[in-house]
Amino acid sequence: MSIQIKGTGCFVPEKVLSNQDLEKIVDTTDEWITTRTGIKNRHIAPEDMPTSDMALAAAKNALENAGISADDLDFIIVATSSGDHPFPSTACVLQGKLGMKKKCQCFDISAACSGLLYSLDTGANLLRGHKNYRYGLMIGAEKLSYLADWKDRATCVLFGDAASAVILEKVDDGSDESCLLATDLGADGSCVSLLLHPAGGTAIPVTAENVDTHENALNMNGPEVFKHAVPAMVSAAKTVLADANIPADRLRWVIPHQANKRIIDAVAARLDVTEDHVYVNIQNYGNTSAASIGLCLDELSRSGQLQKGDLVLATTFGAGLTWAAALIRW
Ligand code: UT7
C-alpha cells in the first residue's frame, strides 16, 4: 500500500492589489514593501466570495487534474484561519457545494500558515487507517483580506487571498511507501499573542467597541514572529531530512512558506540550498497563509518543473505559533 499525490489545484481571485495601489490606502511605499518583504502584488477576493467558494474552485481544479470525481473522495480537510463561519466547518460547506452524494467525513484544521502540511500529514494517516479509503482532498484556503486591518500598514500589505488543493491516493501495490517520506510538526502555545485574530471568539466576543479599536482584525508582532520563524522552519526541515536520511543537495525544490522573501533567503542559506532550488512566488500573491504551499506545488507541477520522483522539502511557520516540514517524493 502506498500513498501518492494524485492531483493538485488552485484558485486565485482575479483582482490584483499592487504596492502602488496600497500607497493610496496607507502610509507605505512600493520600495518599503519590496525591500522588506519581496511582495509586489496580492490578489483580493470580492466581498461576496466566501472562503468556501475559493476552496470549491481549487477543489474542482484538483479533481480535474486527478481525473476523479467528487464522489470518489473519502474525506475533505480544509485548512483555514478565515473560514465561512465559526461553525460548521468550511469543509462541510465545501462538501455541500461540490454536490456530493457520498457523505464522507469533513473537518477543518486550524494551524494557520502550517495548515496544509498539517492536513497532508493527517490525510495520509487517515488513508492508512481506514481500509476502504482511497482518496482524500486537502485544501488550504484563506480570505485574509477580510481579517486584515486596512488601517495598519505593518500588516495589511502582507496578505493575499487564495486557495490550493492536494488530492492523496492510497494504492494497493504491495509496497509500504508514502509520498510523505518524513514530516515534522510542532507548536509553541506560549507565543499565541504574537500573531492572532483576538476578537470574535469566546475569549473576546465582538462588540461595537472592539470593532472600532480593530481588535477584531489580524494582529501581529512582525519582528518577533520573524525571529521565531527562521529557526523553527530550519529545524523542522533539518529534522525531516535527517529522518529520511536525505542530504539537502538531493532536493529538487525547497518550498518555504511564502511570508517574507528575507525569511525565505535566510532559511535557504541555513539549509545550504542554492537559489535555483528554492521556489518563490511571494512577489505575485503575498502571504496566502494555509494556501501558500499548495499554490507553489500546483504552479511547479503544472509548469513542468516537477517530475515524478523529484524530492521536495516544504517548510512552514505561522500563528500558534505552529510549524511544519514535509519531505515529499513527487
Ligand atoms: O505567515 C505568518 C508568519 N508571519 C511572518 O512570518 C511575518 C514575519 N515578520 C515579517 O515578515 C517582518 O517583521 C515584517 C515584514 C512584518 C516587518 O518588517 P521589519 O523589517 O521587521 O519591520 P519593522 O516591523 O521592524 O518596522 C520597521 C519600520 C518601522 O518604522 P520605524 O519605527 O523604524 O520608524 C515601521 O513603522 O518600518 C515601518 N513600517 C512600514 N513603513 C512603510 C512597518 N510597516 C510599514 C509599511 N510601509 N508597510
Side-chain angles (χ1 to χ4, degrees):
M1 170 195 83
S2 66
I3 311 287
Q4 300 173 5
I5 292 181
K6 181 71 175 166
T8 59
C10 74
F11 171 78
V12 179
E14 216 174 294
K15 185 182 164 188
V16 175
L17 188 69
S18 68
N19 291 349
Q20 286 77 13
D21 295 329
L22 278 162
E23 287 176 351
K24 295 174 198 141
I25 300 173
V26 285
D27 180 18
T28 192
T29 59
D30 171 45
E31 200 266 334
W32 190 96
I33 303 171
T34 307
T35 55
R36 298 288 181 128
T37 73
I39 301 167
K40 294 300 260 183
N41 293 304
R42 67 288 292 145
H43 293 246
I44 305 293
E47 240 172 65
D48 62 355
M49 179 183 280
T51 301
S52 61
D53 279 357
M54 291 194 285
L56 177 65
K60 285 182 172 171
N61 195 224
L63 287 166
E64 196 187 340
N65 184 247
I68 63 169
S69 76
D71 279 312
D72 291 321
L73 298 172
D74 297 300
F75 58 87
I76 298 175
I77 308 175
V78 175
T80 185
S81 302
S82 49
D84 284 23
H85 312 284
F87 75 88
S89 69
T90 299
C92 284
V93 179
L94 174 60
Q95 192 210 55
K97 288 187 177 181
L98 281 167
M100 288 176 64
K101 292 189 188 75
K102 184 156 135 195
K103 302 304 173 194
C104 67
Q105 63 161 305
C106 296
F107 60 97
D108 288 357
I109 279 186
S110 173
C113 308
S114 309
L116 190 75
L117 293 187
Y118 267 59
S119 303
L120 285 175
D121 191 61
T122 303
N125 284 320
L126 276 177
L127 285 173
R128 264 191 222 101
H130 291 258
K131 199 163 158 266
N132 300 323
Y133 281 13
R134 182 161 178 203
Y135 296 110
L137 170 65
M138 272 89 356
I139 301 257
E142 302 284 11
K143 187 176 181 178
L144 292 171
S145 61
Y146 170 71
L147 298 183
D149 179 350
W150 289 100
K151 291 189 174 136
D152 177 16
R153 68 177 182 171
T155 52
C156 75
V157 303
L158 304 173
F159 298 97
D161 301 334
S164 61
V166 177
I167 294 174
L168 289 179
E169 177 183 17
K170 180 170 70 185
V171 181
D172 287 322
D173 55 6
S175 77
D176 184 24
E177 290 181 358
S178 172
C179 58
L180 299 179
L181 298 182
T183 55
D184 184 56
L185 317 173
D188 181 355
S190 70
C191 296
V192 162
S193 63
L194 296 184
L195 173 50
L196 81 164
H197 178 216
T202 50
I204 309 176
V206 176
T207 62
E209 290 72 34
N210 62 32
V211 168
D212 286 346
T213 57
H214 308 295
E215 231 182 326
N216 72 333
L218 185 151
N219 190 301
M220 176 168 73
N221 180 338
E224 275 306 309
V225 173
F226 196 124
K227 273 187 221 157
H228 285 80
V230 177
M233 287 165 78
V234 170
S235 162
K238 285 186 172 171
T239 299
V240 295
L241 288 172
D243 283 358
N245 200 18
I246 301 271
D249 63 10
R250 278 190 52 203
L251 297 171
R252 175 66 190 94
W253 289 109
V254 172
I255 307 179
H257 170 49
Q258 309 284 304
N260 186 320
K261 178 68 164 56
R262 289 185 293 142
I263 294 177
I264 294 170
D265 291 344
V267 168
R270 291 195 196 181
L271 291 175
D272 209 9
V273 178
T274 52
E275 218 174 73
D276 51 327
H277 291 282
V278 181
Y279 195 66
V280 181
N281 63 12
I282 189 173
Q283 67 280 7
N284 300 325
Y285 308 113
N287 181 351
T288 60
S289 190
S292 144
I293 295 292
L295 211 50
C296 295
L297 284 173
D298 191 55
E299 277 192 353
L300 280 170
S301 166
R302 284 175 198 259
S303 61
Q305 297 179 81
L306 259 180
Q307 306 302 330
K308 197 167 168 46
D310 280 350
L311 293 172
V312 180
L313 171 65
T315 183
T316 66
F317 187 81
L321 298 172
T322 59
W323 57 85
L327 182 60
I328 302 166
R329 194 193 302 280
W330 198 250

